[in-house]
Amino acid sequence: MKLTILGCYSATPRTITNPTSQIIEINNQMFLIDCGEGTQVQLRKHKIKFSRINHIFISHLHGDHFYGLVGLISTFMLLNRQNDLHVYGPKGIKEVILLQLRLSNSFTGYGLYFHELTSKESQVVYEDDKVKVSTIPLQHRVYTNGFLFQEKPGDRKLNLGAVFNYEIDKCYYQKIKNGSDITLDDGRIIPNEKLTFDPTPTQSYAFCSDTKYDESIIPLIENVDVLYHESTFLEQDKDKTTHTMHATAIEAATIAKKANVGTLVLGHYSTRYGNIKLFKEEAKTVFENVLLGDDGKVFEFNK
Amino acid sequence: MKLTILGCYSATPRTITNPTSQIIEINNQMFLIDCGEGTQVQLRKHKIKFSRINHIFISHLHGDHFYGLVGLISTFMLLNRQNDLHVYGPKGIKEVILLQLRLSNSFTGYGLYFHELTSKESQVVYEDDKVKVSTIPLQHRVYTNGFLFQEKPGDRKLNLGAVFNYEIDKCYYQKIKNGSDITLDDGRIIPNEKLTFDPTPTQSYAFCSDTKYDESIIPLIENVDVLYHESTFLEQDKDKTTHTMHATAIEAATIAKKANVGTLVLGHYSTRYGNIKLFKEEAKTVFENVLLGDDGKVFEFNK
């Protein structure tokens, strides 16, 4: 599992920082989460192939999370994209994108599908045989969802020594990998655990931005391997969290601890601070395994 | 008069080039023309004070000319701008900006005024005591205007030696600067030209992008000091101009020559070319005084 932070600062793009956007690669699938202004240039900088992006998840309709989407969709169009593109985001996202395409008399040559979200309960928004993506309803100033990416377990791994030993025919291998026991010609039943090893452990990633401190998300993100949780403010500005409905680094760490996650990645820093290392320092007073997200950082996670 | 090119490449923003946006400073007034994605970052790079931008002119609603506008408007909002902001552009621009602000539950604390354009005839869209701005209707795939910025002549300059010599009272100075003759106490009439010098010569700037080659604009831009005319293609790709309704460098130079302009600035280059110097070379075969626009270039023009 690989996380590429294209941008992780709040509010306005600057010469040195970018608004929210990131790529999560899980089970060889690539997903774009949020798309602030300038995301397409960040994708180019990181040499991420546009053709690998087929699913874009937008948390909410504040500009720093989606003003780059229409430009990316237009660029895909200019580059003669053929693959379908699926966009998941709050109701309204379809209207605003299509209005802009209509005003420019432009139409995508590829299939552009909007999956508009309105539910305040968690729901599965994408699923294939390798990955499942669900929403994490968040508490912010506008309707907002985080997203939970869960790798699905693959086949069990064949214990080749054992299957040779029992002289099991190849035609049963897939059945065994699917978990079945095997009855030999002499009537003996060989239980599956003698013929296989456990599959590669699955991984999971939860993206939670933007949100105030909200313990109601804990059941949804419990035990995830990696949690990206916004930390807009340092403790000195905790009073600003109520009005803005953002969180502090310590609050992010508290959620990480209570949800028993593997690793916490911080981000969505207010641009008022000179030194983002303080976010990590504060978070580590509550939860040990903290990574400091920053534009351009790539994190690889293995089990 | 000072022209700052924030971006002058067509189609998609890239790591090394930006879509159209520029600042023209004329008679100490600053105007932003077009606002492709990333313009706000380009403005910061060039240390242009956001508070000096009060009038934004949008040529047309193709993404590479206005996808950065909503972000700039939002950033002004986050920075607690107080001054009114006026946006001039094709009908539809108000709907698309306000829809995005509404979806993010955001409202500007400053006055945001849209001046929507629909006329296919040239019209004055802005005027004060120093500058006049008129549209230049252009021929492109969607409704498009160029913009003509004309400095207004200031007062005539007082010939101090002469007014002392005739012992003219100070209370007449403004009248003289306005061009009046003066009758002395002894009845002699002193013609204004004996009491004043000509005012500082005025300058003018015409922005013409995007457009196909179109001689009908010549009467509107005749004798301007500086013409920015799009040159999307080199001569080798002239066949692409018909369908795309863009111009070549030679076509831009031909318009400059026929309109007898002072200086031609090229821009809106297709990103298919490796070396933009060829645009200048081709244009110079038709018109001598050519400048090669490029992102980050600042041109000062004096008479």
Side-chain angles (χ1 to χ4, degrees):
Chain A
M1 189 166 73
K2 187 165 129 183
L3 174 66
T4 303
I5 308 274
L6 302 171
C8 69
Y9 287 77
S10 69
T12 71
R14 301 181 302 172
T15 49
I16 45 165
T17 64
N18 296 278
T20 300
S21 188
Q22 52 182 247
I23 291 275
I24 182 77
E25 279 182 77
I26 184 165
N27 219 333
N28 292 318
Q29 293 242 49
M30 187 176 263
F31 302 98
L32 179 67
I33 309 171
D34 281 350
C35 193
E37 185 175 349
T39 293
Q40 59 177 310
V41 171
Q42 286 295 95
L43 287 167
R44 285 188 194 265
K45 265 189 198 165
H46 289 84
K47 302 193 191 310
I48 289 163
K49 278 193 183 166
F50 285 0
S51 60
R52 286 198 63 197
I53 298 172
N54 299 312
H55 300 277
I56 303 177
F57 297 85
I58 302 293
S59 62
H60 65 300
L61 298 184
H62 279 159
D64 55 331
H65 294 256
F66 93 104
Y67 281 168
L69 179 61
V70 67
L72 186 62
I73 286 171
S74 301
T75 292
F76 284 166
M77 191 166 66
L78 289 167
L79 299 176
N80 284 322
R81 178 193 177 97
Q82 300 296 320
N83 289 353
D84 290 345
L85 180 70
H86 295 267
V87 176
Y88 309 78
K91 188 165 170 55
I93 198 165
K94 180 177 178 178
E95 182 187 1
V96 71
I97 297 297
L98 293 189
L99 172 62
Q100 287 176 93
L101 296 182
R102 199 168 65 239
L103 285 173
S104 65
N105 205 17
S106 304
F107 305 93
T108 60
Y110 56 91
L112 177 59
Y113 299 95
F114 290 92
H115 305 265
E116 293 199 314
L117 307 175
T118 53
S119 175
K120 291 183 177 177
E121 305 293 324
S122 174
Q123 59 181 145
V124 175
V125 288
Y126 174 77
E127 188 165 15
D128 62 21
D129 56 343
K130 291 179 167 183
V131 181
K132 187 170 88 169
V133 186
S134 325
T135 57
I136 306 167
L138 300 175
Q139 299 294 320
H140 192 43
R141 304 195 304 278
V142 293
Y143 175 74
T144 305
N145 288 293
F147 297 100
L148 173 65
F149 299 79
Q150 291 173 290
E151 193 178 12
K152 289 186 174 180
D155 290 343
R156 295 189 62 77
K157 293 188 173 177
L158 218 53
N159 179 340
L160 281 175
V163 294
F164 286 150
N165 198 30
Y166 290 112
E167 294 178 350
I168 295 170
D169 193 89
K170 277 189 179 174
C171 67
Y172 294 104
Y173 284 5
Q174 188 56 51
K175 201 175 164 189
I176 296 169
K177 288 198 278 185
N178 291 347
S180 293
D181 301 336
I182 290 293
T183 306
L184 301 182
D185 293 345
D186 62 11
R188 279 184 297 163
I189 295 172
I190 313 299
N192 187 273
E193 61 264 31
K194 286 201 171 175
L195 302 172
T196 60
F197 303 113
D198 286 343
T200 309
T202 59
Q203 292 194 286
S204 54
Y205 175 69
F207 170 90
C208 294
S209 184
D210 297 354
T211 185
K212 69 172 187 177
Y213 178 80
D214 175 19
E215 295 190 359
S216 74
I217 66 173
I218 292 173
L220 295 172
I221 62 170
E222 210 150 22
N223 300 320
V224 295
D225 295 289
V226 182
L227 167 67
Y228 175 92
H229 193 291
E230 75 130 285
S231 54
T232 306
F233 296 112
L234 291 172
E235 206 56 18
Q236 69 194 56
D237 292 309
K238 189 172 161 56
D239 60 313
K240 295 190 171 63
T241 59
T242 311
H243 171 65
T244 60
M245 297 184 81
H246 285 299
T248 64
I250 283 184
E251 288 174 333
T254 306
I255 294 289
K257 185 179 181 185
K258 292 194 174 187
N260 190 37
V261 310
T263 302
L264 169 66
V265 181
L266 296 175
H268 202 266
Y269 314 113
S270 164
T271 53
R272 77 190 61 216
Y273 305 112
N275 181 1
I276 62 167
K277 285 182 184 166
L278 295 172
F279 286 90
K280 188 172 175 179
E281 284 177 22
E282 291 194 355
K284 277 176 85 85
T285 62
V286 173
F287 182 80
E288 179 53 30
N289 205 2
V290 179
L291 294 173
L292 197 61
D294 205 355
D295 297 7
K297 275 197 183 171
V298 179
F299 300 110
E300 300 240 20
F301 303 102
N302 296 302
K303 262 195 168 166
Chain B
M1 188 166 75
K2 186 164 128 182
L3 174 66
T4 303
I5 309 273
L6 302 171
C8 71
Y9 287 77
S10 69
T12 71
R14 301 181 302 170
T15 49
I16 45 166
T17 65
N18 295 278
T20 301
S21 188
Q22 51 182 249
I23 290 275
I24 182 77
E25 278 182 77
I26 185 165
N27 218 333
N28 293 317
Q29 293 242 49
M30 187 176 263
F31 301 99
L32 179 67
I33 309 171
D34 281 350
C35 193
E37 186 175 348
T39 293
Q40 58 176 313
V41 171
Q42 285 294 95
L43 287 167
R44 285 187 194 266
K45 266 189 197 163
H46 289 84
K47 302 193 190 312
I48 288 162
K49 279 193 182 166
F50 286 0
S51 59
R52 285 197 64 198
I53 299 172
N54 298 311
H55 301 276
I56 302 177
F57 298 85
I58 302 292
S59 62
H60 65 301
L61 298 184
H62 279 158
D64 56 331
H65 294 255
F66 94 105
Y67 280 169
L69 180 60
V70 67
L72 186 61
I73 286 171
S74 300
T75 292
F76 284 167
M77 192 166 66
L78 289 167
L79 299 176
N80 284 323
R81 179 190 175 99
Q82 299 297 318
N83 288 354
D84 289 345
L85 180 70
H86 295 267
V87 176
Y88 309 78
K91 187 166 171 54
I93 197 166
K94 180 176 177 177
E95 182 188 0
V96 71
I97 298 296
L98 293 190
L99 172 61
Q100 288 177 93
L101 296 183
R102 200 168 66 240
L103 285 173
S104 66
N105 204 17
S106 304
F107 304 93
T108 60
Y110 56 91
L112 176 61
Y113 298 95
F114 290 92
H115 306 264
E116 293 199 313
L117 308 174
T118 54
S119 175
K120 292 181 178 178
E121 306 293 324
S122 174
Q123 59 181 144
V124 176
V125 288
Y126 174 76
E127 188 165 15
D128 63 21
D129 56 345
K130 291 180 168 179
V131 180
K132 187 169 88 169
V133 186
S134 324
T135 57
I136 306 167
L138 299 176
Q139 299 294 319
H140 192 43
R141 303 195 305 278
V142 293
Y143 175 74
T144 305
N145 288 293
F147 297 100
L148 174 64
F149 298 79
Q150 291 173 291
E151 192 179 16
K152 289 186 174 179
D155 289 344
R156 295 188 64 76
K157 293 189 172 175
L158 217 52
N159 179 340
L160 280 174
V163 294
F164 286 149
N165 198 31
Y166 290 112
E167 295 179 349
I168 295 170
D169 192 272
K170 277 189 180 175
C171 66
Y172 293 104
Y173 284 5
Q174 188 57 48
K175 199 176 165 189
I176 294 168
K177 289 198 277 186
N178 291 348
S180 293
D181 301 337
I182 290 292
T183 306
L184 301 181
D185 292 344
D186 62 10
R188 276 183 298 160
I189 295 173
I190 312 298
N192 187 274
E193 61 264 31
K194 287 201 171 175
L195 302 172
T196 60
F197 303 114
D198 286 343
T200 310
T202 61
Q203 291 194 286
S204 54
Y205 175 69
F207 170 90
C208 294
S209 184
D210 297 354
T211 185
K212 70 172 186 177
Y213 178 80
D214 175 19
E215 295 190 358
S216 74
I217 66 172
I218 292 173
L220 295 172
I221 63 170
E222 208 149 23
N223 301 320
V224 293
D225 295 289
V226 181
L227 167 66
Y228 176 93
H229 193 290
E230 75 130 285
S231 53
T232 306
F233 297 111
L234 290 173
E235 205 56 16
Q236 68 193 57
D237 292 309
K238 189 172 161 55
D239 60 312
K240 295 189 170 65
T241 59
T242 311
H243 171 65
T244 60
M245 298 183 81
H246 284 300
T248 64
I250 282 183
E251 287 174 334
T254 306
I255 293 290
K257 185 180 179 185
K258 291 195 175 188
N260 190 38
V261 310
T263 301
L264 169 65
V265 180
L266 296 175
H268 202 266
Y269 314 113
S270 165
T271 52
R272 77 190 60 216
Y273 305 111
N275 182 0
I276 61 166
K277 284 182 184 165
L278 295 171
F279 286 90
K280 188 172 177 180
E281 284 175 23
E282 291 194 355
K284 277 176 85 86
T285 62
V286 173
F287 183 79
E288 179 52 32
N289 205 3
V290 178
L291 294 173
L292 197 61
D294 206 355
D295 296 8
K297 275 198 183 171
V298 180
F299 300 110
E300 299 240 18
F301 303 101
N302 297 302
K303 264 196 168 167

